[in-house]
Amino acid sequence: MSFVLLALVLLLSVFSPARALWPLPRSLQTGSTALTLSPSFNIKLSVLHAPSDLLDAVARTKQYLLNDKLERLVVGRSSADTAAIAGAKTLSALTLQLTPGATARPITTEAQQAPEDRDEAYSLTVPADGSAALITADSTLGLLRGLTTFGQLWYFHSGQLYTLSAPVHVEDSPAYPYRGFMLDTARNFFPVADIKRTLDAMSWVKINTFHWHVVDSQSFPLEVPGFTDVASKGAYSASSVYTPKDVADIVSYAGARGIDVMVEIDTPGHTSVISKAHPEHVACAEATPWSTYANEPPAGQLRFTSDATTNFTANLLAAAAKMFPSKLFSTGGDELNTNCYAADPATQQALNASGQTLEQALNVFTQKTHAAIEAAGKTPVVWEEMVLVHNVTLSNETVVMVWISSDDAAAVAQKGFKIVHAPSDYFYLDCGAGGWVGNFPSGNSWCEPFKTWQKAYSFNPLSGLSADQAKLVLGGQQLLWTEQSGPQNLDSIAWPRAAASAEVFWSGPGGDDDAALPRLHDIAYRFVQRGVQAIALQPEWCALRPGACDI
Amino acid sequence: MSFVLLALVLLLSVFSPARALWPLPRSLQTGSTALTLSPSFNIKLSVLHAPSDLLDAVARTKQYLLNDKLERLVVGRSSADTAAIAGAKTLSALTLQLTPGATARPITTEAQQAPEDRDEAYSLTVPADGSAALITADSTLGLLRGLTTFGQLWYFHSGQLYTLSAPVHVEDSPAYPYRGFMLDTARNFFPVADIKRTLDAMSWVKINTFHWHVVDSQSFPLEVPGFTDVASKGAYSASSVYTPKDVADIVSYAGARGIDVMVEIDTPGHTSVISKAHPEHVACAEATPWSTYANEPPAGQLRFTSDATTNFTANLLAAAAKMFPSKLFSTGGDELNTNCYAADPATQQALNASGQTLEQALNVFTQKTHAAIEAAGKTPVVWEEMVLVHNVTLSNETVVMVWISSDDAAAVAQKGFKIVHAPSDYFYLDCGAGGWVGNFPSGNSWCEPFKTWQKAYSFNPLSGLSADQAKLVLGGQQLLWTEQSGPQNLDSIAWPRAAASAEVFWSGPGGDDDAALPRLHDIAYRFVQRGVQAIALQPEWCALRPGACDI
């Protein structure tokens, strides 16, 4: 690159209006006029019968404007802009309005629709002359997304908020309707406050689905009405339980932030802990050596050949489904271990009696348990093995999560199922920390190496898919499995990395990661100002000098 | 392993008195009698003229006993011990005394002696019958180490503190006199509170040296009297500076915790930022492409061929040396880039004028700068290149830090220098997070993979050394370079991993990591209770069941 071109790139990046926005709006026009926010700046809701969660979103936006105090990431920070700000025009108001004819339903209601039915589009205009800014949308959810973008425009200097990029015009809507983040609260427990903080962080980058892998073989922290013994005997402790009140609190907190909570009760594998309350339903519970019977300790899987176990599971799922308004409900279905069933007399006896194969019995179990959640108005979500390994008969509506490898998406699409991309080779946040099995010091994590934000950012949702198959892609998500994580490193392991997929699935793939880095620094520094401990991606010296740490 | 043997191992590990101690004392005898701590438990100082930092250490120990509230890591946690505790005898007092004839000097004074002169030995006795416990030592520093061990003995249940392992008898002293932790505060800045929290954590595992890599090419956050312009122009911001008052505060906080603060002013490389105040002293400052002139951006190295620069550096080091009472002072000396000097007209001119080679000039520079810190009563510490690459003439007393590879220790020992082990292949905490250079998305960190605690724990300080050479080993340390770290992930990237080397260099190498894991869980959970965010090494299910997650 010539020095002239380099200088131009540096100049552009310094003045780039998009410097602060994440995910990048799909259409963005900006100027280079400085504009400050009036001390009496106000957000006006031009919405009849505005729902309370929209009012809350407005109040939250004002709070962020007051508290962020983020200086611009340039040498000298915002003091470099003193001259530019002096005498700038002042913005006194932002108006929110719905397009004529649109109904002001709660953000929560909009967010909890099926992914394809969510309307997150908005437009945002910030004139350069100080006249009122405007966000318009077809839905309150769209207004919320616009508020989020608006909140990223402003830097702090000496008591003032300012942008150097007026006028701003944004026309925005997501490339994909499902943009998720998965948290495993079973390997290690996370208090409600950690989940709420994570939901806040998600909302700041327009992630709209919290995939809550709430239970697993190690612990069952979800108190399900009618099945309270499973948690009371299966949680790590009485205080490591999500009560129905906690769940309602989390669902409501998420909804107000435009986030749907999709719970997963993983079945029939990953269920060892159910044996604590119901040993009759679990084969090879805590059998040793665990590595013969499970991918990780402890072993234990539901006896899906048993009618009693099938009914128990269907009822448990139905009861759990009632706790979550989402249209999606994940029944799991990963990593089924056949040794466990081969060694389980009860399972073998049942198979002999029925004359079924194990796969036939699994099919029956899945039909019945899926019927239970479908009766509750939910669409089932499963891990990829259910279609690629077990070939279970599933409704066409079923959503399949591709996790083992990004290469598996094509095979799932070939079978006509909707896809959520959750591939370990791009999106697993836990990879690369070494092995955690006790006596295997040289063990690597199975999904080595560490998945950098750049790796996640390079993901192409349509790779290997035909044009028709591409329509099956709902979106994707990064995931945190917590064998080596807990509240102690939740923020630092997730952020800002998990923002990478948020942009891939909002703005569309193909972003240049070198151009993205200054914006990602910006959002990470803003996260820290808001109390989420996003980590440094580079020395501050580099963060202040876009491009200077390129090689 | 047979099931009988396995059961025995599990039984031993459940009742193991050593379960809670880290680092493991070098001689430890324990029983299996339960003992509770009296509500009126007191620590009695049988020490004439007890220094105030010893009184503070006693007060801190009491605070930890009150506040830790750590339940034992077994299924059911401490409620599993209800029966064992019922009717247990009660311990009412712990007495601290110095061996007859010993002088009660401040802990700080003891800690700040040369490593070989520190006396950290202590003995601890906790009788099973409730009679007073006793710590004796030759020094207040030894009493502090004993207090630290005593504080790890106790679990919490229902308002009571208890041990199941009385009587306890410990005779303890470290295998190596230097046990360190290095923090880089130049790539990203860390507020004083973060450093103090880290010092606390270090003291809990008896780490006795804080190697403070305080400045580097990216920023110069140390305000050195007489050289204040270097920090005022070279720190990231006015608030990202350690003032002399901050330094005194940190040194005093460390000293009271038995920790010596060894500062490093890295020279002549890693000094780009000095150009902000003194461009005349820095060659190739911020020259591009940086990769030609430095291992990482920005380029810039002291013009050591210049008398003025040499005098400036010697005076800067002497002034910095006055801020730190430690007997050790690191002048750095790593990663010198010859391209930088080849391209620097001033350097070439000076070499031509003097007729010296670059290496000869480096030798002169090093003699003069080391003389300055030796005049201040310090022993110089350097990175390995100074002896292995540049063959600089150094005093025999010089301490050499081996960092490039653990294999290099033998070559350093061959030259007769004292060694601190700091090898990147075992002890670098930053490795494995992927590349951070802006436009190199597929870049790995140069020291891939992630260094697990098991890897660090497997380190052998004497590998490749003769018996005579072994005497040159002062100890070792884990290190946090902060290109991809900041206050946000300081705790989670460092702990409990950095406890691994603390045990290697206190208890001696060769510990079995499978046996160590339950103790490491214990210390990590205790760290969290004390506000240091040590991460989970396994699912809680495994932490509660020693051995059950072995393969």
Side-chain angles (χ1 to χ4, degrees), chain A residues 38-372:
Chain A
S38 165
S40 63
F41 172 77
N42 200 10
I43 301 178
K44 298 177 181 174
L45 260 174
S46 173
V47 174
L48 270 180
H49 309 301
S52 66
D53 58 9
L54 181 58
L55 298 174
D56 291 346
V58 167
R60 230 166 31 242
T61 303
K62 289 184 193 167
Q63 278 303 310
Y64 291 141
L65 289 172
L66 268 178
N67 297 336
D68 278 3
K69 294 186 176 155
L70 177 67
E71 301 208 18
R72 201 156 69 90
L73 290 178
V74 288
V75 176
R77 304 297 297 266
S78 286
S79 66
D81 301 331
T82 308
I85 305 170
K89 291 208 171 5
T90 296
L91 180 67
S92 297
L94 164 67
T95 302
L96 305 193
Q97 64 186 34
L98 289 175
T99 45
T103 312
R105 297 190 300 175
I107 294 169
T108 304
T109 306
E110 303 283 355
Q112 292 169 351
Q113 293 187 89
E116 300 93 326
D117 298 335
R118 295 171 196 159
D119 185 347
E120 301 181 85
Y122 69 94
S123 70
L124 163 66
T125 304
V126 182
D129 64 358
S131 57
L134 178 67
I135 297 174
T136 60
D138 293 335
S139 73
T140 55
L141 181 58
L143 294 177
L144 172 71
R145 299 304 179 218
L147 281 170
T148 302
T149 302
F150 183 83
Q152 292 176 352
L153 286 173
W154 307 95
Y155 292 110
F156 178 85
H157 177 55
S158 192
Q160 269 195 313
L161 290 172
Y162 70 97
T163 178
L164 298 183
S165 310
V168 177
H169 184 69
V170 172
E171 294 287 342
D172 205 8
S173 64
Y176 292 94
Y178 181 111
R179 304 174 309 282
F181 176 82
M182 192 213 78
L183 180 67
D184 159 14
T185 59
R187 272 57 179 254
N188 281 300
F189 180 79
F190 293 79
V192 172
D194 290 310
I195 294 177
K196 286 185 171 177
R197 193 177 66 257
T198 301
L199 291 165
D200 276 318
M202 290 163 61
S203 76
W204 300 334
V205 290
K206 305 189 174 83
I207 293 176
N208 69 3
T209 307
F210 176 48
H211 172 189
W212 192 0
H213 185 90
V214 61
V215 298
D216 208 297
S217 271
Q218 289 83 0
S219 77
F220 199 103
L222 183 67
E223 184 185 322
V224 180
F227 297 83
T228 53
D229 53 347
V230 185
S232 65
K233 296 186 178 173
Y236 282 134
S237 73
S239 62
S240 298
V241 168
Y242 305 106
T243 65
K245 190 157 166 267
D246 292 332
V247 169
D249 185 19
I250 287 168
V251 165
S252 149
Y253 196 89
R257 284 152 184 80
I259 297 170
D260 185 38
V261 180
M262 177 184 79
V263 74
E264 175 184 357
I265 309 285
D266 200 351
T267 61
H270 288 271
T271 45
S272 176
V273 72
I274 293 176
S275 69
K276 302 290 185 193
H278 294 279
E280 70 278 15
H281 294 316
V282 180
C284 66
E286 304 194 10
T288 56
W290 59 261
S291 53
T292 301
Y293 303 110
N295 280 19
E296 65 180 58
Q301 305 182 151
L302 289 171
R303 284 186 170 124
F304 58 73
T305 54
S306 149
D307 286 344
T309 299
T310 302
N311 288 336
F312 166 84
T313 307
N315 292 336
L316 172 68
L317 296 183
K322 281 191 192 150
M323 305 171 76
F324 296 89
S326 176
K327 293 282 186 289
L328 300 174
F329 187 104
S330 173
T331 60
D334 57 324
E335 298 189 312
L336 212 52
N337 181 299
T338 51
N339 291 335
C340 169
Y341 294 119
D344 181 45
T347 295
Q348 293 308 313
Q349 203 168 12
L351 290 175
N352 286 339
S354 68
Q356 289 177 319
T357 64
L358 195 69
E359 293 290 330
Q360 287 169 334
L362 177 62
N363 206 27
V364 171
F365 170 85
T366 307
Q367 307 287 324
K368 289 189 181 167
T369 52
H370 280 202

Side-chain angles (χ1 to χ4, degrees), chain B residues 193-204:
Chain B
D194 291 310
I195 294 177
K196 287 185 170 179
R197 192 176 67 256
T198 301
L199 291 166
D200 276 319
M202 290 163 60
S203 76
W204 301 334

